[in-house]
């Protein structure tokens, strides 16, 4: 009988499931990879076998041309891995297709959350609380200063700015996978049914979301339209395009950015953001700590983000925790 | 308070000067008295509440959140007020919003802050904070502790005031220093056409005329006069209606630190000059002034001992006269004011005043040669003043130039880095560097000689930040120690003996001149090389 939980090993480049000789979210190519979701810091091409939800596999095919050796797993489905390890994919509420992975071996239960949030998101099913012995959690916003306001407030800010500047446009910087589609869906839910303009880099992912049943209303490409047509409209672009020459084709854009980091003024200032929208697909401090209380694991392992404060919180609440120091998932990963 | 908080937020999120001007102007037009006056005082840093300091905020927070969580948060956010505003616990029950209780105004807040004592602040300040949301709390703490960090200088705020009411900014500047917050007379004049405040008989500060760096400009000495740029502090001495004040460049009253100057002027006048201490470091025996280092020992003191007054007596080397016996000379040409100043010298005490001499030169090239001697004489450089220039507040193009001596350069090794504040809160942007205390190949050590946080571009800052993160060997709170792997060419104005540093040296105005990515660390300079540059 080996030591408890010795079958699961954190490495700087991913989490290794020893008896199955497979990895979760490895940052280097491996023979067998279990992938939580399609963001680049978790999913990458070149694995021998890629196990993920069908949605995540579709995203990976679009982004990394992954189509050989794919193994789709539905939410709630359990897959038997070699060495007597069972893997179950559970909704994480982060982006389309995102999953927590529950691993069971020798009567021990470990959950790798991947990235997650606890708030409603019209583009993906909500995080499901699942009991386990060890919870391996992210901590992107693991500082008590990070509390994301209700998204309705932020939509309100955005629509007000639009209404106050009918001759201009509001350019929203948002990640191409997840954030952009969530914002569009939330705008539609708030009754904004005007066409929304997209940077070219957003188009394919939006189409993919629609193919998976997330309706986004009328979307237009910036490249196909004139400055005049875009007055009074919302334009969505990846954050890297905000201060790029690309934005010169827009009618006097008001620069907005949708990110959890916008909670801190100087962070918004560094990026030249005029309209900060505090919208994140990651759990904020209260969601992180509530999740740990809800799941109530015997021990928490913290993968990436601001782990120091979350470890301190565990200490203050007489809970066991350790930091895993994963590489490549630093600072601005969202 | 909500309107002021919204103004601060809007100011933070715009980099456009014009946009800032219209935001402030709009606020000043639409906000009633005295709220707008208090807001203006807050923006220009004119408010000071003795009972509320940054440490007060930290202490309040430490009763409400685990100290470790506070420190981690503060370190990430880079600003105490903002961190506290975000971490302040939302009151459990929001008091029922009845029509009877008006929302907190900025005037309420200022009044309440003004009555707090070091004891009562612990209960009174939380009561205010509980009534506000995160933005409101941020505005309140900024107002109480100063340092708005919204990219608005006092000058910009005054320009916005002038714009709001379509009055001249020079007039605003003039009356400004005669009035106290909330500036009701200023608003009455600008917004409602009342008479301007009577400033002739007030011992108030008049804004300094400043100089542009000369850089590559060449001037004709027929049009410009040259003077030494003495290395002390620029002061304005005012005597009117029996009162004397000594103002620093920022308009702070520093008379308490230099009581000998307060008794020294009995002619009604406003004089501009350099405050210095007697000695022979600057310009030798004739120069008659000690180094800046000697003056520094006397700065910021609340009381001055007799010993200090006799060992390091201060005096003012006069540059200009702004007002004399009730007459305003500022509109007159510089050479006319200069004559008036020269004539005035006979009436002033020679112990406390002398005249900054004109530097005579045949032509610009000759002047350039004379400037070369400034280093040897421990003088900062030269000033060039247009002979027909009126005395105008601020830096007006083409009127006055400063032509500093070239900086000294030395190669140092990066030792420690610390995160910056504000805009640089996520970057390691403050660098401590050292020189070798012997031959590094024989095992000599580095001793810290200075600290700098400027002189590099944003792109270089990103590279430096990455270098620090990748080469950290030790962490001490916010400070990281790095491997000895990077050489900076550091520029500085002068170096002095200092007991504060282990190296026994202190640099003036050190800044990063060049990053020597190419230079091996053992080729950096030694302490002995730096010591040879001392001119005390």
């Amino acid at each position: 009988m080996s030591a408890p939980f010795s079958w699961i090993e954190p490495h700087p480049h991913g989490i290794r499931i020893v008896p199955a000789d497979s990895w979760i979210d490895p940052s280097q190519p491996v023979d067998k990879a279990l992938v939580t979701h399609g963001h680049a810091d978790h999913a990458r091409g070149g694995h021998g076998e890629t196990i993920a939800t069908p949605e995540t596999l579709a995203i990976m095919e679009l982004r990394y041309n992954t189509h050989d050796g794919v193994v789709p797993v539905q939410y709630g489905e359990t897959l038997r891995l070699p060495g007597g390890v069972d893997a179950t994919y559970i909704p994480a509420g982060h982006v389309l297709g995102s999953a927590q992975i529950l691993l069971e071996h020798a009567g021990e239960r470990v959950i790798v959350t991947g990235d997650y949030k606890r708030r409603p998101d019209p583009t993906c099913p909500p995080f499901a609380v699942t009991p386990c012995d060890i919870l391996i959690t992210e901590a992107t916003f693991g500082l008590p200063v990070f509390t994301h306001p209700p998204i309705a407030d932020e939509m309100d800010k955005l629509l007000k700015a639009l209404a106050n500047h009918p001759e201009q446009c509001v350019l929203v910087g948002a990640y191409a996978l997840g954030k952009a589609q969530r914002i569009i869906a939330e705008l539609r839910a708030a009754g904004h049914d005007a066409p929304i303009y997209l940077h070219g880099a957003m188009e394919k992912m939006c189409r993919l979301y629609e193919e998976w049943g997330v309706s986004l209303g009328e979307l237009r490409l910036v490249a196909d339209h004139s400055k005049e047509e875009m007055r009074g409209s919302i334009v969505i672009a990846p954050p890297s395009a905000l201060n790029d020459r690309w934005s010169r084709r827009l009618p006097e854009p008001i620069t907005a950015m949708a990110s959890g980091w916008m909670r801190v003024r100087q962070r918004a200032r560094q990026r030249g953001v005029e309209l900060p929208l505090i919208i994140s697909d990651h759990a904020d401090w209260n969601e992180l700590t509530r999740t740990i209380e809800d799941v109530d694991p015997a021990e928490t392992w913290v993968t990436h983000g601001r782990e120091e404060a979350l470890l301190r919180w565990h200490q203050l609440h007489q809970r066991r925790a350790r930091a895993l120091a994963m590489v490549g998932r630093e600072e601005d990963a969202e | 308070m909500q309107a002021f908080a919204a103004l601060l937020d809007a100011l933070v999120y715009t980099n456009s000067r014009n946009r800032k001007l219209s935001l402030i102007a709009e606020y000043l037009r639409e906000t009633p008295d005295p709220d707008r006056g208090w807001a203006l005082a807050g923006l220009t840093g004119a408010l000071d509440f003795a009972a509320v300091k940054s440490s007060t905020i930290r202490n309040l927070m430490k009763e409400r959140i685990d100290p470790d969580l506070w420190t981690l948060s503060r370190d990430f956010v880079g600003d105490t007020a903002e961190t506290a505003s975000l971490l302040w616990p939302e009151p459990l029950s929001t008091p029922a919003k009845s029509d009877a209780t008006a929302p907190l105004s900025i005037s309420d807040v200022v009044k309440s802050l003004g009555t707090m004592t070091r004891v009562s602040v612990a209960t009174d300040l939380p009561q205010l904070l509980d009534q506000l949301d995160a933005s409101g709390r941020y505005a309140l703490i900024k107002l109480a502790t100063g340092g708005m960090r919204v990219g608005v200088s006092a000058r910009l705020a005054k320009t916005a005031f002038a714009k709001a009411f379509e009055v001249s900014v020079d007039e605003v500047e003039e009356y400004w220093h005669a009035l106290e917050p909330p500036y009701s007379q200023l608003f009455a004049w600008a917004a409602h056409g009342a008479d301007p405040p009577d400033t002739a008989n007030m011992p108030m500060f008049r804004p300094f005329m400043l100089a542009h760096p000369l850089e590559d400009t060449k001037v004709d000495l027929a049009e410009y006069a040259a003077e030494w740029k003495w290395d002390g502090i620029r002061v304005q001495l005012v005597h009117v209606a029996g009162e004397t004040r000594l103002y620093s460049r920022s308009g702070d009253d520093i008379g308490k630190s230099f009581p000998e100057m307060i008794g020294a002027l009995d002619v009604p006048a406003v004089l501009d000059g350099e405050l210095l201490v007697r000695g022979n470091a600057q310009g030798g025996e004739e120069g008659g002034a000690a180094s800046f280092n000697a003056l520094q020992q006397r700065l910021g003191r609340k009381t001055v001992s007799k010993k200090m007054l006799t060992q390091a007596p201060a005096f003012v080397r006069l540059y200009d006269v702004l007002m004399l016996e009730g007459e305003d000379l500022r509109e007159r040409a510089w050479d006319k004011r200069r004559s008036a100043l020269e004539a005035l010298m006979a009436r002033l005490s020679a112990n406390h005043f002398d005249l900054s001499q004109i530097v005579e030169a045949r032509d610009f090239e000759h002047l350039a040669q004379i400037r070369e001697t400034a280093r040897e004489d421990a003088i900062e450089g030269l000033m060039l003043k247009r002979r027909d220039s009126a005395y105008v507040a601020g830096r007006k193009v083409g009127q006055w130039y400063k032509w500093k001596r070239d900086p000294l350069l030395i190669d140092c090794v990066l030792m420690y880095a610390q995160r910056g504040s504000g805009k640089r809160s996520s970057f390691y942007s403050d660098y401590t560097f050292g020189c070798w205390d012997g031959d590094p190949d024989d095992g000599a050590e580095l001793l810290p000689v200075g600290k700098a946080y400027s002189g590099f571009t944003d792109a270089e800052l990103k590279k430096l930040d990455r270098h620090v993160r990748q080469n950290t060997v030790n962490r001490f709170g916010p400070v990281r120690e790095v491997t000895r792997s990077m050489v900076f060419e550091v520029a500085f104005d002068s170096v002095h003996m200092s007991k504060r540093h282990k190296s026994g040296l202190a640099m003036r105005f050190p800044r990063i001149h060049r990053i020597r990515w190419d230079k091996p660390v053992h080729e950096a300079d030694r302490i002995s090389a730096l010591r040879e540059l001392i001119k005390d």
Side-chain angles (χ1 to χ4, degrees):
Chain A
M1 182 78 195
S2 52
F5 304 104
S6 60
W7 54 278
I8 186 116
E9 282 179 0
H11 291 262
H13 300 287
I15 291 164
R16 180 159 182 246
I17 309 164
V18 184
D21 193 21
S22 41
W23 295 77
I24 296 181
D25 290 354
S27 57
Q28 294 172 343
V30 297
D31 288 344
K32 199 191 271 282
L34 287 78
V35 175
T36 58
H37 67 283
H39 278 143
D41 51 342
H42 295 261
R44 52 156 302 151
H47 304 310
E49 203 175 287
T50 306
I51 306 166
T53 60
E55 295 89 337
T56 297
L57 290 171
I59 291 164
M60 290 179 72
E61 181 170 10
L62 177 66
R63 292 192 141 186
Y64 316 109
N65 213 11
T66 308
H67 42 76
D68 293 334
V70 299
V71 181
V73 195
Q74 300 287 346
Y75 287 130
E77 191 185 330
T78 300
L79 185 78
R80 172 55 62 99
L81 299 174
V85 180
D86 285 338
T88 308
Y89 281 58
I90 301 163
H94 177 58
V95 296
L96 180 71
S98 67
Q100 321 169 54
I101 301 174
L102 165 66
L103 301 165
E104 292 171 282
H105 177 68
E108 294 170 342
R109 291 162 65 88
V110 174
I111 287 180
V112 180
T113 63
D115 293 338
Y116 65 97
K117 69 172 172 290
R118 302 295 303 274
R119 298 174 190 242
D121 179 340
T123 70
C124 60
F127 181 97
V129 172
T130 310
C132 62
D133 304 306
I134 292 181
L135 182 73
I136 304 183
T137 181
E138 63 136 325
T140 305
F141 290 108
L143 270 180
V145 289
F146 290 111
T147 50
H148 311 323
I151 194 166
D153 294 2
E154 304 304 288
M155 289 297 123
D156 198 41
K157 267 204 303 206
L158 173 56
L159 291 171
K160 268 196 187 126
L162 192 67
N164 288 338
H165 301 92
E167 292 302 304
Q168 298 175 251
C169 72
V170 183
L171 170 61
V172 184
Y175 290 93
L177 166 55
K179 188 77 64 70
Q181 296 77 21
R182 180 177 173 213
I183 289 170
I184 298 170
E186 289 286 355
L187 282 168
R188 299 311 186 202
H192 181 78
D193 46 20
I196 291 173
Y197 291 84
L198 298 181
H199 183 281
M202 299 277 174
E203 186 196 9
K204 284 185 177 159
M205 195 58 75
C206 289
R207 300 286 168 238
L208 185 146
Y209 264 64
E210 296 211 285
E211 282 162 27
W212 285 91
V214 180
S215 38
L216 300 175
E218 188 184 351
L219 303 177
R220 293 178 177 176
L221 277 183
V222 167
D224 298 342
H225 294 270
S226 70
K227 221 178 221 188
E228 289 312 309
E229 286 175 280
M230 291 186 276
R231 291 193 194 280
S233 300
I234 291 173
V235 181
I236 300 185
S240 59
L242 288 188
N243 302 313
D244 189 43
R245 276 174 305 174
W246 173 84
S247 62
R248 290 186 198 161
R249 68 190 72 196
L250 304 175
E252 296 103 69
I254 296 165
T255 309
M257 170 83 189
S259 162
W261 302 113
M262 295 298 109
R263 178 83 166 144
V264 176
R265 281 176 181 76
Q266 300 295 349
R267 283 279 167 141
R269 239 185 132 173
Q270 280 164 10
R271 306 200 67 147
V273 171
E274 296 165 287
L275 178 67
L277 301 171
I278 310 165
I279 300 174
S280 177
D281 287 328
H282 289 271
D284 69 8
W285 173 258
N286 294 329
E287 291 170 69
L288 287 171
T289 55
R290 176 161 70 89
T291 301
I292 291 151
E293 284 172 339
D294 289 352
V295 174
D296 196 19
E299 188 170 328
T300 310
W301 296 357
V302 186
T303 56
H304 58 286
R306 262 127 292 275
E307 65 274 1
E308 279 170 292
L310 202 57
L311 293 184
R312 176 64 182 158
W313 178 87
H314 279 82
Q315 201 181 3
L316 292 171
H317 291 80
Q318 282 88 47
R319 288 179 176 274
R320 289 164 63 94
R322 57 183 277 216
L324 302 185
M326 310 279 281
V327 296
R329 292 166 197 172
E330 254 275 322
E331 289 288 303
D332 282 339
E334 190 183 358
Chain B
M1 199 63 194
Q2 287 304 334
F4 181 64
L7 172 67
L8 285 191
D9 277 347
L11 289 171
V12 166
Y13 297 128
T14 177
N15 283 322
S16 147
R17 184 173 180 275
N18 280 335
R19 179 93 188 104
K20 282 184 200 230
L21 285 175
S22 10
L23 283 166
I24 301 170
E26 193 182 333
Y27 174 89
L28 293 177
R29 271 195 308 267
E30 289 175 6
T31 309
D33 289 317
D35 282 9
R36 57 187 177 182
W38 292 121
L40 197 55
L43 285 176
T44 53
L47 296 177
D48 182 33
F49 302 102
V52 198
K53 295 286 165 242
S54 208
S55 59
T56 320
I57 307 295
R58 283 199 297 277
N59 292 338
L60 284 182
M61 289 314 298
K62 284 183 178 171
E63 291 165 15
R64 284 161 177 84
I65 180 171
D66 172 66
D68 285 6
L69 290 179
W70 162 260
T71 306
L72 289 166
S73 299
R74 165 66 185 74
D75 196 27
F76 179 87
V77 174
D79 181 295
T80 298
E82 179 160 16
T83 314
S85 75
L86 294 173
L87 291 180
W88 188 260
E90 298 288 344
L92 290 177
S93 58
T94 0
K97 278 184 185 145
S98 70
D99 295 331
T101 55
L104 211 54
S105 74
I106 184 169
S107 305
D108 300 335
V109 165
V110 169
K111 194 173 157 204
S112 173
L113 287 170
T115 56
M116 287 179 198
T117 65
R118 278 176 199 280
V119 177
S120 74
V121 71
T123 47
D124 292 352
L125 191 57
Q127 272 179 18
L128 292 181
L129 288 165
D130 279 343
Q131 295 178 57
L132 298 163
D133 65 6
S135 273
R137 293 192 290 262
Y138 174 76
L140 167 62
I141 300 172
K142 283 290 178 191
L143 199 65
T145 58
M148 290 285 173
R149 264 201 204 140
V150 290
V152 175
S153 62
R155 178 74 184 173
L156 187 86
K158 291 167 201 168
T159 309
F161 179 96
K163 182 184 152 98
F165 303 108
E166 295 173 350
V167 291
S168 126
V169 67
D170 290 340
E171 275 187 89
V172 174
E173 191 71 80
E174 180 78 34
Y175 303 142
W176 188 270
H177 298 282
L179 301 171
E180 298 280 321
Y183 314 112
S184 16
Q185 268 187 286
L186 195 67
F187 281 99
W189 160 69
H192 308 298
D195 286 338
D198 172 26
T199 53
N201 285 313
M202 294 185 189
M204 61 185 227
F205 169 73
R206 267 83 178 177
F208 278 109
M209 178 155 179
L210 303 170
H212 276 284
L214 185 67
E215 289 168 354
D216 297 327
T217 317
K218 283 190 179 176
V219 298
D220 180 352
L221 295 187
E223 287 175 16
Y224 287 83
E227 270 179 272
W228 290 116
K229 187 177 190 320
W230 299 99
D231 194 7
I233 63 167
R234 186 96 179 267
V235 289
Q236 184 175 96
L237 196 61
V238 182
H239 180 81
V240 69
E243 266 191 83
T244 307
R245 299 272 167 84
L246 182 68
Y247 293 109
S248 73
R249 223 188 89 162
S250 51
D252 294 323
D253 187 344
I254 54 167
K256 278 210 176 97
S257 305
F258 299 93
E260 66 264 55
M261 292 312 304
I262 297 305
L265 185 62
D266 52 10
V267 183
V270 178
L271 304 173
D272 179 346
E274 195 84 9
L275 185 70
L276 295 159
V277 162
R278 291 282 177 207
N280 55 15
Q282 294 193 47
E285 284 298 335
E286 276 168 80
S291 71
F292 181 80
N293 209 31
L295 173 65
Q296 204 166 30
Q297 315 300 322
R298 290 207 46 189
L299 291 176
R301 292 184 182 272
K302 287 196 178 114
T303 56
V304 190
S305 66
K306 262 212 175 103
K307 191 176 155 204
M308 199 157 260
L309 286 172
T310 43
Q311 285 185 349
F315 69 102
V316 173
R317 181 155 290 167
L318 293 170
Y319 292 137
D320 216 322
V321 52
L322 283 63
M323 300 185 80
L324 187 58
E325 318 221 86
E327 194 178 354
D328 194 338
L329 307 183
R330 287 175 291 175
E331 293 289 313
R332 296 198 198 165
W334 173 86
D335 52 6
K336 295 278 182 318
R337 297 197 308 278
R338 176 79 193 184
S339 309
L341 181 62
E342 284 170 8
L344 175 66
M345 291 313 295
R347 297 169 61 193
L348 301 179
S349 130
N351 280 339
H352 297 101
F353 296 97
D354 66 16
L355 184 64
S356 174
Q357 297 298 333
I358 302 296
V359 179
E360 300 293 348
R362 289 186 303 276
D363 51 28
F364 190 76
E365 283 63 37
H366 183 208
L367 188 64
Q369 287 167 18
I370 295 175
R371 171 176 167 264
E372 295 298 314
T373 66
R375 159 81 49 210
E376 206 45 50
D377 284 341
I379 300 171
E380 259 194 289
L382 288 169
M383 294 293 299
L384 289 160
K385 297 179 176 174
R386 216 184 140 87
R387 295 177 190 274
D388 62 3
S389 58
Y391 193 100
V392 285
R395 283 186 184 84
K396 199 170 166 196
V397 180
Q399 304 298 299
W400 285 10
Y401 291 107
K402 53 185 168 192
W403 194 14
K404 283 202 193 187
R405 65 188 183 208
D406 296 327
L408 295 163
L409 298 174
I410 198 155
D411 286 334
C412 302
V413 180
L414 174 63
M415 300 177 72
Y416 305 96
Q418 189 169 357
R419 285 198 202 194
S421 290
K423 235 178 150 175
R424 285 175 167 183
S425 63
S426 64
F427 290 104
Y428 285 90
S429 61
D430 298 8
Y431 309 108
T432 302
F433 39 79
C435 288
W436 300 106
D437 68 350
D439 186 345
D441 295 327
D442 285 345
E445 295 286 325
L446 282 171
L447 289 181
V449 295
K451 203 175 172 181
Y453 37 83
S454 67
F456 35 81
T457 64
D458 286 355
E460 285 174 328
L461 173 59
K462 276 191 184 160
K463 281 175 86 175
L464 288 171
D465 178 67
R466 203 174 317 131
H467 175 87
V468 169
R469 289 172 193 274
Q470 287 170 354
N471 292 280
T472 300
V473 288
N474 250 320
R475 296 182 190 207
F476 313 95
V479 177
R480 288 192 182 201
E481 181 178 0
V482 296
T483 57
R484 315 302 195 220
S485 51
M486 160 98 61
V487 177
F488 287 147
E489 185 177 84
V490 175
F492 57 102
D493 284 7
S494 56
V495 58
H496 302 275
M497 310 272 251
S498 165
K499 292 197 187 85
R500 274 182 302 162
H501 303 283
K502 202 175 163 191
S503 61
L505 299 170
M507 292 169 150
R508 267 192 93 196
F509 300 134
R511 61 262 183 200
I512 309 296
H513 192 248
R514 256 198 310 167
I515 303 164
R516 297 296 304 264
W517 303 100
D518 56 316
K519 190 157 193 168
V521 288
H522 67 265
E523 287 180 20
D525 279 302
R526 302 193 190 167
I527 296 279
S528 52
L530 192 55
R531 200 169 286 130
E532 279 168 25
L533 300 170
I534 296 177
K535 283 270 178 262
D536 271 335

